[in-house]
Amino acid sequence: MIELIPAIDLIDGKCVRLTKGDYDSKKIYNEDPVAQAKEFEALGFKRLHIVDLDGAKSKHIVNDAVLRAVTSATNLTVDFGGGIKTEEDIRKAFDAGASMVTVGSVAVTHPELCIEWLKTFGAERIILGADVRNGKISINGWKEDSSEDLLPFLKTYIDHGVKNVLCTEISKDGTLAGPAIELYKQLMAAYPEMHLIASGGVSCNEDIKALEAAGIPAVVFGKAYYEGKIKVEGLIC
């Protein structure tokens, strides 16, 4: 069964969603992320994806106190991303209770550093963030597009032991327009050993079932849940 991972995106300590990464499109869904995390846990979810959007913009972790509050109040397995640029940031996230961290921009700008982190912390605790727009990896809170093509970028890190990859199709994110299933099928065909986490565009239970049918191991969703378009009872057995 596909792994179901609800998301909490943080700005000013509140649960928000953006559209296509545009900070001006911010919509607040819950002012209490701990209460939101408890709600997810009560529904039966085991995993939670937290994104520090303030951190992504500031290029260092900002909302580690919120992360600590969530991990202290729940038994959810939490992965945390946004603004992780240094080993200090990683240690701060782990100290605050994260089980895994997502590293994106640094994997593009300083690959030798990211490869060293894989050795230091273990590949099972590092999720490679591959945020893609027009076939290129985007960095720094999606404000910049790099020259890195998606498939070669993934190969570099898979060759260094990466198993977990979070791939967000930016043009889909927050649009409720359906996920980029063909892209994810292409990635799984190229790297079947990868634990691919699909992100962006999920609008309903049928989208999640379509990803599962396509053999995608995991999915992150946020806006569709907050907008009441996902029926949890139809997902969790």
Side-chain angles (χ1 to χ4, degrees):
M1 183 175 176
I2 192 167
E3 185 177 20
L4 304 169
I5 311 173
I8 289 177
D9 292 0
L10 297 170
I11 291 180
D12 297 330
K14 300 172 183 176
C15 302
V16 307
R17 294 300 290 174
L18 309 181
T19 300
K20 299 182 183 180
D22 179 5
Y23 282 73
D24 290 335
S25 71
K26 177 184 74 175
K27 182 175 181 180
I28 298 171
Y29 285 99
N30 194 328
E31 297 198 358
D32 186 345
V34 174
Q36 185 61 65
K38 286 182 174 180
E39 178 180 310
F40 285 135
E41 185 175 40
L43 288 168
F45 293 106
K46 305 298 184 186
R47 178 93 177 261
L48 178 63
H49 175 63
I50 296 182
V51 182
D52 184 352
L53 291 174
D54 294 313
K57 203 170 189 179
S58 303
K59 301 184 180 182
H60 61 84
I61 287 180
V62 173
N63 283 293
D64 52 303
V66 177
L67 170 62
R68 187 182 300 278
V70 168
T71 58
S72 297
T74 72
N75 291 310
L76 292 164
T77 297
V78 178
D79 68 79
F80 183 85
I84 293 177
K85 306 292 186 186
T86 65
E87 186 170 319
E88 180 185 358
D89 285 325
I90 294 179
R91 293 191 184 281
K92 186 179 288 188
F94 287 152
D95 287 346
S99 296
M100 292 165 279
V101 296
T102 301
V103 176
S105 300
V106 173
V108 175
T109 59
H110 296 87
E112 70 292 337
L113 181 59
C114 190
I115 289 166
E116 191 61 35
W117 291 345
L118 291 170
K119 297 174 185 175
T120 300
F121 298 102
E124 71 282 355
R125 300 196 76 189
I126 304 289
I127 299 172
L128 179 66
D131 302 327
V132 62
R133 178 165 46 207
N134 300 321
K136 302 289 187 182
I137 299 295
S138 186
I139 59 174
N140 294 327
W142 301 351
K143 295 192 293 295
E144 304 171 41
D145 291 333
S146 75
S147 60
E148 291 276 355
D149 291 315
L150 177 58
L151 281 170
F153 173 75
L154 294 181
K155 185 176 189 310
T156 295
Y157 285 100
I158 288 170
D159 287 348
H160 281 91
V162 162
K163 296 293 184 188
N164 300 295
V165 175
L166 174 68
C167 184
T168 302
E169 168 52 76
I170 295 169
S171 69
K172 298 275 191 178
D173 192 70
T175 65
L176 301 176
I181 293 178
E182 291 306 313
L183 170 65
Y184 299 135
K185 287 168 67 174
Q186 177 187 3
L187 299 185
M188 290 304 299
Y191 308 114
E193 70 277 24
M194 175 174 57
H195 186 77
L196 178 64
I197 306 166
S199 173
V202 171
S203 67
C204 58
N205 290 41
E206 286 68 29
D207 283 341
I208 294 174
K209 291 174 182 175
L211 287 165
E212 183 173 30
I216 311 306
V219 59
V220 164
F221 53 88
K223 190 172 186 177
Y225 173 84
Y226 295 118
E227 297 276 346
K229 298 181 182 299
I230 284 179
K231 306 305 177 189
V232 174
E233 59 273 13
L235 293 177
I236 299 177
C237 299

